[in-house]
Amino acid sequence: MLRTHGHRPYGRGSDRRHSGYKQRKQEKRADDSGSLHDRGQYSWFDRLRNEKRMIPYATMRPMLTRQIPPRELATLPVQAALKKLETDKKGLPEEERENRRVRFGSNDLPQKKGTPILVVFLKQFTSPFVFLLIGVTVVSLYLREYSDAIVIAAVLLFNATVGTFQSARASKALKALSQGIVYNARCLVEGTSRACDIREIVPGDVIQLGAGDRIPADGRWLAANNLRVDESSLTGESVSHSKTAESIAVKPNAIAADIRNAGYAGTNVVAGSGLLLVTTIGEQTEVGRIAASLTEARPEAPLIRRVRTLAHQVLIVVTIAAILLLLSSVASGGPILPNVTLILALIVSVIPEGLPIVLTVVLARGVWDMSRKNAIVRNLESVEALGGVDIIFTDKTGTLTQNELHLKQAVLADGTTVHIEDGSVPRPHTNGNAEHAARFAEILAAVADPGAGMDTRLSSIDPIDRALLELPRMLSIKSPVQYSERPFDGKRRTRAVTTTLSTKEDIAILAGSPEQILDACGGVDTETTQAMNTMTSGGLRVIAFAEAPGNNLERADGAWIYAGMVGLRDNPRLEAKDALAWCRKHNINVIMVTGDHPETAYAIAHELGMTRSRSQVVLGEELMRLEDKELSNALASLKVIARATPETKMRLIHVSRKDGSVIAMTGDGVNDAPALHAADVGIAMGKSGTDVARGAADLVLVDDNFATIVSAIQEGRSVVGNIEKVVTYLFATSSAELVLISMAMFFYLPTPLLAAQILWLNLVTDGFLDIALAMEPMHGGHTRPPRGRLISKRAWTRIALLGASMGIIGIGVYAYALNTNGDTLRYSVTLLAMSVMQWWSAWSNRSSTTSIFRLNPFGNIPLIIATGIVLFLMTVALYGGPLSSLLRIGPLPLSTWLWIVPLAAIPVVVDEFWKLAHRRTVKA
């Protein structure tokens, strides 16, 4: 039995005795089959909360317990669909909307949960470098070297804090990006139209939609007035679909586009208007399910792989060196403890403690620079990956072209031709019968949506309709009224309408692909076929038209009369040709992947300089039949893949990754999301792209322009160059410390530097200079990262040369200092010499090829400031009390500075000879 709070349950007798029983019984009889909202003034929820009276079971509204996919409602009439959702055409009451919002949640796509800040902090300690330093700290505590342990622990905490801060900033920025613009929709609430945040839409809401509106959720159409929807973001088909509110039969395996009385979140209304009954929201929509399916881990960023490889290599070198030195000490019969201290210093010297911080700074700067060039990077590692891209699989429409269709040519059945002359004011030039041209223009206007010519600001209006109306507008011809329509059918690839022309003729018009129209006309002469081929090979998108007297839309093949065809053109972007030329020069393979006709795609590609012959074009279905090895070989020469599908893109990624290539893939639709997710660099469109595509991508193009991709790659290569400069500098100074300590051990000399002093060099001196070096402007063109490695073999050669020269000078200075009295003075002189050599090395590393004397000394202001800071800190360390005690150093006379500074410049001279030899080798 049911009851309300505070009242007894009641049976048949008590129900009949209730004062409102007769009134509710009459309401129930009046509309027993209609919507439950019409059975009374209040919803069941309102009545349940009314504590002043009891509610009979028969008059209570059942609770909507689940979201219902639109395909389950497709076969039902409108009233039955409304009843299923417990609503009516006036919309839900606000209180019921709030109740359902609590029950079903907000209309948002599924979002990954953020990582807790503590977990982010602990992850900073998972690097092999950090493990080594933790081990050194433990051993230092065991040996009671407390100052070393304190300094190393401080370094670890500092690095972890900076890394956590950067991660938090990145997460905050990505969250703000994902929220984006808040869209509103027109909702009916108890018959009143009001603006609603689309995130607050619930199942059962009734939404008013018109041309240019984005559909906010999946639903069942309640009304459709000449309604056409662009579902390309979901299905990949570029042609809009007509919608109906009538019930339809649905096959069990029907795809979303086949259900003509359903609307889907993320698609756009391009013509007409309608009322949509919301049935599913958020992750229950078609878009939401695709977004939720992207659970597979993204491929590891190339930068992460390279850093991990480098860390493992350093770990192996350090372990081997430490074991050999320890065995050498044992074999010599000397004391073990001093050598353990030396080995700890050796380990600390090799580890580039500042590398994680400086990589973050370099990548963050790249993100900032790219954002100013209309490229939004969604994760830091993608910046470096962009610099290493080998293959770009790019869309055609909107990326290589302007995404603006224009009517360029019309060829009528009688041979009359109309050419549209380019210019600031396009003008038609007719060759033949002008009256026939005007009549054909009226046919175009009858087929096109009249609303396409009213508001050119609505980007969701079908671009084909815009183009078809260009000729009627130039000839001042008004659009005739469409009386009936057979919507575009993906299988027939045609659309039919009926209208009355200005000559009072009642005719039916058939429009669609040339092949289908020519078949409907029973075949035409070869001249028409040749004209079609000429248009297609010229890069025009061809649409053909046929007519028949009367109002019958369904006619057998041969019953239609051929009227003519038009060629539409989406002009290439002017800047795309230069961008493609840059890619060819820098050995980046660009392949067009499009759903267009192969001849149209080839014409555009040829105009942009991508192709040399027709043999470089292949159909997607032909490509899918190739074995992996055959496809891999074919990709070396292919430039255009036409009639491609999302499955084609996934296959291309799978095969290309086997070769070790770094892959960039563009896309804008929901169905492109898996490919964007799987690529090394997924690139989504900012203007035309869907939220799901942008969420799956690494890079979002604000202007949908291929040239912006190239700008991002150039910036990525600039970042690669700066990473190589910084890593070269860090490992050159670390190897110098390694040479210094190893030579001291080889000659049985005391420890030249303590672990705390080495950390001072690596964190304080290097820490400021390497970050400033990361701000260096690009020199000598765009550097491509070496495949599989963080830095090139040439850079390793330079590191060895610089490290050896600095280490030899360092051991020489140390040997000289051994003749002085006291460890403090010996440490001070050696530490100063190593510090000054690092300063000189930073300036020499501004370019790996250009002489330091040819670079503008004021070209890197941050480096000037950083040099001043480290000079000041070194002075404070030598002449300040607490810091001097911690580092075990003391003041030095001015005379010592005067001979150390020029002596420390010798490695720069060595580097200059290396650069000169490299330049001559390159020229040869």
Side-chain angles (χ1 to χ4, degrees), residues 128-149:
F129 292 143
V130 174
F131 289 154
L132 278 175
L133 288 176
I134 292 174
V136 172
T137 305
V138 173
V139 176
S140 297
L141 288 172
Y142 177 77
L143 297 175
R144 298 185 179 180
E145 297 288 343
Y146 296 119
S147 60
D148 289 351

Side-chain angles (χ1 to χ4, degrees), residues 72 106 202 233 279 354 372 423 451 487 558 562 568 609 635 638 849 872 896:
E72 293 186 23
S106 62
V202 298
S233 63
T279 61
R372 294 186 297 173
Y562 177 66
L568 311 180
L635 287 178
L638 287 179
T849 56
F872 171 76
T896 304

Side-chain angles (χ1 to χ4, degrees), residues 550-572:
N551 298 320
N552 184 10
L553 293 176
E554 300 295 340
R555 298 170 186 263
D557 287 346
W560 293 92
I561 303 170
Y562 177 66
M565 67 180 72
V566 296
L568 311 180
R569 182 171 175 81
D570 184 6
N571 290 321

Side-chain angles (χ1 to χ4, degrees), residues 47-82:
R47 297 177 183 179
L48 188 62
R49 296 182 59 188
N50 190 341
E51 297 183 0
K52 294 183 179 180
R53 58 181 181 176
M54 306 308 299
I55 304 176
Y57 180 83
T59 59
M60 279 188 55
R61 181 190 310 278
M63 178 182 292
L64 184 65
T65 57
R66 70 181 183 95
Q67 300 186 49
I68 303 174
R71 72 170 55 235
E72 293 186 23
L73 304 178
T75 59
L76 301 179
V78 168
Q79 287 299 325
L82 288 167

Side-chain angles (χ1 to χ4, degrees), residues 67 97 101 104-109 178-187 194-203 205-209 213-218 264-268 276 278 280-283 285 287 691 694:
Q67 300 186 49
R97 294 185 74 239
R101 195 172 300 124
F104 298 114
S106 62
N107 184 30
D108 286 319
L109 293 180
S178 64
Q179 289 175 348
I181 302 172
V182 176
Y183 293 99
N184 288 328
R186 301 299 303 181
C187 301
R194 66 173 66 171
C196 301
D197 187 333
I198 64 169
R199 293 172 298 185
E200 297 179 356
I201 289 173
V202 298
D205 270 336
V206 177
I207 311 296
Q208 296 175 315
L209 293 163
D213 289 339
R214 174 175 292 187
I215 298 176
D218 287 5
Y264 300 100
T267 60
N268 297 297
L276 182 74
V278 175
T280 56
I281 61 172
E283 62 183 5
T285 62
V287 172
D691 293 337
R694 286 192 288 266

